[in-house]
Amino acid sequence: KQRTRGPRRVVPHNLELPRFMTVPLLSKKLNRTMMDVCKKAATRFDWWPKVTLKTLKKTSYRDVKALVLSYEEAKDLCEVYERESTPLDIKIEPDQQEGHIPVMLPRPSVVSILGHVDHGKTTLMG
C-alpha cells in the first residue's frame, strides 16, 4: 500500500533567519529532510562534523541535532538551496502607557553543585 502525502509546503525565496539556530529548525524552514541537509553540508563545508551518513542514521542524527549554526553558517546552507536569507530583526516596541523601551534587568546566575554525600559540597560554598 502506497502512502500519499499532502502537497509540499512552498518555501519562500527569502528566508528570515535568527542569529543562531539548530540544524533541525533550518531543515524545517528549507522544507528539506535532515538527511538531505546533512549530505549537502558534509560535501561543501569543512566546519561540518566529520560523521558518516550511516552513523547519523544509526544515532538518529544526535550529533547534528545539537549543532547550533550561526547566521553566517545558516546563510551558506541557504545559498546551497538557492535561497536568500536576511537576519531576523527583533523589534522592541515602546511601552504604550509610559512611552519608553522596557529595560531588562540583570539577574543573578544559577549555580548547582552535584556530587556524592560527604564529599565537601557544602565546604565549597563557604
Side-chain angles (χ1 to χ4, degrees), residues 3-9 31:
R3 293 189 333 180
T4 58
R5 296 183 186 195
R8 286 190 82 167
R9 183 175 60 92
N31 199 22

